[in-house]
Amino acid sequence: MDINSLSCKRVLYWFEEINKIPRGSGNEKAVSDMLCSFGKERGLYVRQDEANNVIIKKPASKGMENLPPVLIQGHMDMVCEKNADVNHDFEKDPIAVIYDGDYIHADGTTLGADDGIAVAYALAILESNEIVHPELQVLITTDEEVGMGGASAVDCRDITARRVINIDSEDEGVFTVGCAGGMKTTSRIPVQYEATGQREGAWLTVGGLMGGHSGVDIIKERANANKLLARTLTTLSEKMDIRVSSIYGGAKDNAIPRDAGCFVALRPGGFEAAAKIIKELEATVNKEYAAQKETIVLNIKQCDLENKVFTDESLKRVLAVIMLMPNGVLAMNTELGMPETSNNTGVLKTKDEEVDITCAVRSSVISRKYEVYGKIKALTELAGGSCEYKGNYPAWEYKRDSELLKQGEKIFESMYGYKPRVETIHAGLECGLLGEKLPGAEMISIGPDILDIHTPMERANIPSVERTWKFILSLLAELR
């Protein structure tokens, strides 16, 4: 594909530029500073707040000064996931942008099109003297992927726009007009240790899973590595005497975990029996998940002994919590045919005296969100642990009479000959928080086709980036 022939070539240029700057959640200062420099170099209004959110404003094109302003919004951070065999430091290394036919992707890591593509669209509009638009206000936030901390912290005192185009959706031809709220929960299960004794060491891993976004992909019933690890250990412990330590799994609470593992101490001579049990279970779970087309790999290999392991009682408590933790779609919205409530058992970590289990709870019904937290808390406390939540963000309520939605639908249909699909989404979007800060705002969320976000398979469709670019420009030019 000849990129230079595309009208969105500057979008792709800016996407490559921001991908040169590490921007995982919590590490956005450098890219935030780059956005500020971009605006100041062009004489635009720029404000950077303490959370590193950036607001840039550009005056209206000639003849459009009397039209209401428009806010373009997205987030600068990205989910940092990589394949196990890839040597990449997300704190220091740039993200590769590889052109492959109609797609761009990275080299064994997440691409960051979620939501770097929004930043690239905004910069391409802001730099142009030819694009026609009302007064343009741009808000690029931080920490969206780990609880929407930037949107929670941002002061919107200088944002006067009440028409908001959020560019954080991944399906072309879909107007998202509502989303679930959510929270992050952390369960802390205390563990006691004992000496390993006369045993032989092994390292048990779960891998080969597809993973995915814990909101968008949760309905696909993909396997959860943390759950499978607990199931594997439970199966082993029912058939032989084992001890465990150094349990881990997943990387982000909002990504369905693709791999997990732990150290296992076996009785002398027990390795072959353990390997046989694991291979039998591997065949079973692959049969169970055949429809998902996952190739689940359960593997055990011999390794050096660790000095200490969980006591038998501690292991039972940890495995019980992981096994019984609510996971997947918990309730459906039967009117819209989409998930209403879900939980993702996202991250396992072993600390000095505890195992932490971090989950992403989502629901479009406020009371259901707290109900799930109540279940997780009750389960945790039964196991002698403690539980807390943070990153609590509200749902975005669908406004059926939105003029922005009506005009957007009309413009889209006139361009492409079919009506866009209007839907709400189970994933969290910053529109819920912005709706509280911008009273009366009308919002839509759009975006080009981006596949397998939050995984190293993430890729963006270039023709879709081009069509979405043209639609955004038409929307800015024709909104009244």
Side-chain angles (χ1 to χ4, degrees):
M1 176 174 290
D2 181 9
I3 302 302
N4 289 324
S5 68
L6 299 176
S7 64
C8 70
K9 61 184 179 182
R10 292 298 291 178
V11 176
L12 297 172
Y13 166 81
W14 284 114
F15 182 68
E16 291 185 42
E17 288 298 301
I18 62 172
N19 263 17
K20 294 176 182 177
I21 307 172
R23 52 188 177 90
S25 303
N27 186 35
E28 303 105 322
K29 183 63 165 65
V31 71
S32 177
D33 288 346
M34 174 267 195
L35 296 176
C36 291
S37 296
F38 169 95
K40 291 175 181 177
E41 287 168 3
R42 289 159 178 80
L44 303 176
Y45 172 95
V46 177
R47 178 166 67 87
Q48 181 186 49
D49 65 17
E50 293 183 358
N52 290 316
N53 299 304
V54 175
I55 295 171
I56 304 176
K57 298 167 78 169
K58 183 179 181 181
S61 301
K62 185 176 180 180
M64 303 187 77
E65 297 88 349
N66 294 327
L67 294 177
V70 173
L71 175 68
I72 291 179
Q73 193 269 321
H75 62 88
M76 66 185 80
D77 61 318
M78 62 174 283
V79 168
C80 297
E81 283 273 321
K82 67 183 183 71
N83 290 324
D85 60 348
V86 171
N87 183 18
H88 185 95
D89 186 345
F90 284 104
E91 294 288 317
K92 300 176 181 177
D93 298 337
I95 299 293
V97 179
I98 298 171
Y99 289 83
D100 186 2
D102 283 347
Y103 289 89
I104 51 174
H105 60 82
D107 186 12
T109 73
T110 38
L111 175 64
D114 174 21
D115 190 29
I117 200 67
V119 182
Y121 278 132
L123 296 182
I125 295 169
L126 288 169
E127 74 170 350
S128 173
N129 293 320
E130 298 176 0
I131 294 171
V132 177
H133 55 78
E135 179 186 339
L136 193 63
Q137 302 176 3
V138 172
L139 169 62
I140 307 296
T141 55
T142 56
D143 286 347
E144 191 271 351
E145 298 289 4
V146 291
M148 304 194 185
S152 296
V154 69
D155 182 345
C156 293
R157 65 182 183 274
D158 48 359
I159 297 178
T160 58
R162 292 299 183 267
R163 300 186 296 180
V164 180
I165 304 170
N166 168 278
I167 310 176
D168 193 16
S169 292
E170 293 85 31
D171 293 294
E172 182 190 353
V174 175
F175 287 8
T176 302
V177 293
C179 74
M183 64 171 64
K184 177 194 294 188
T185 70
T186 299
S187 299
R188 297 183 172 88
I189 312 300
V191 292
Q192 289 78 44
Y193 291 89
E194 63 184 17
T196 306
Q198 297 299 312
R199 293 175 180 266
E200 57 184 38
W203 191 251
L204 172 65
T205 57
V206 178
L209 283 66
M210 295 177 69
H213 190 288
S214 68
V216 174
D217 296 320
I218 201 76
I219 197 171
K220 297 176 182 177
E221 298 288 345
R222 292 175 178 172
N224 180 304
N226 295 334
K227 287 289 200 176
L228 285 181
L229 178 63
R231 180 176 172 182
T232 304
L233 291 171
T234 299
T235 301
L236 278 176
S237 65
E238 289 171 347
K239 299 181 179 181
M240 58 196 309
D241 180 15
I242 67 169
R243 291 292 185 271
V244 167
S245 66
S246 305
I247 190 168
Y248 80 93
K252 304 289 182 182
D253 63 280
N254 59 356
I256 300 170
R258 298 181 299 116
D259 49 59
C262 67
F263 170 80
V264 180
L266 304 164
R267 289 294 185 187
F271 180 80
E272 289 187 6
K276 184 174 183 294
I277 293 167
I278 287 169
K279 282 302 171 186
E280 290 173 351
L281 181 59
E282 181 185 83
T284 298
V285 296
N286 273 292
K287 185 176 180 181
E288 292 173 356
Y289 287 94
Q292 283 73 26
K293 295 182 173 58
E294 296 192 82
T295 303
I296 298 167
V297 178
L298 307 182
N299 187 51
I300 188 168
K301 63 181 181 180
Q302 292 176 312
C303 69
D304 293 336
L305 279 174
E306 293 192 356
N307 294 327
K308 60 182 182 178
V309 289
F310 302 158
T311 63
D312 184 54
E313 180 187 357
S314 294
L315 175 60
K316 287 178 178 177
R317 286 190 284 108
V318 169
L319 292 183
V321 174
I322 301 171
M323 289 284 286
L324 294 172
M325 186 71 70
N327 190 72
V329 177
L330 306 178
M332 288 290 292
N333 182 319
T334 54
E335 178 185 359
L336 298 175
M338 63 172 288
E340 174 211 84
T341 304
S342 72
N343 185 54
N344 178 56
T345 309
V347 182
L348 303 179
K349 285 184 179 178
T350 303
K351 297 188 176 179
D352 290 340
E353 303 295 332
E354 66 188 37
V355 172
D356 291 356
I357 307 167
T358 303
C359 298
V361 182
R362 302 177 189 270
S363 185
S364 54
V365 178
I366 294 174
S367 59
R368 283 282 180 88
K369 179 173 65 175
Y370 288 102
E371 179 192 17
V372 176
Y373 169 67
K375 291 180 178 180
I376 294 172
K377 185 172 184 287
L379 173 62
T380 303
E381 291 177 347
L382 278 174
S386 62
C387 186
E388 65 180 6
Y389 71 82
K390 63 179 181 179
N392 191 15
Y393 59 90
W396 166 26
E397 185 178 348
Y398 171 34
K399 291 185 178 181
R400 291 175 173 81
D401 59 349
S402 166
E403 281 299 319
L404 174 61
L405 173 60
K406 291 176 183 176
Q407 290 188 51
E409 286 181 291
K410 183 178 179 181
I411 293 167
F412 187 94
E413 186 175 9
S414 69
M415 291 180 68
Y416 298 113
Y418 67 96
K419 292 183 178 181
R421 192 164 78 247
V422 177
E423 64 181 30
T424 60
I425 191 172
H426 190 57
L429 290 170
E430 293 166 298
C431 296
L433 287 163
L434 293 177
E436 294 184 335
K437 296 171 182 282
L438 302 173
E442 297 182 1
M443 299 178 281
I444 59 172
S445 180
I446 60 173
D449 288 334
I450 307 173
L451 288 71
D452 294 314
I453 62 171
H454 296 191
T455 80
M457 298 181 292
E458 180 185 2
R459 57 205 183 278
N461 181 270
I462 299 170
S464 182
V465 172
E466 169 84 345
R467 289 189 296 269
T468 303
W469 170 246
K470 290 180 178 179
F471 171 68
I472 292 170
L473 298 191
S474 294
L475 191 60
L476 291 175
E478 298 177 36
L479 272 179
R480 294 297 180 265

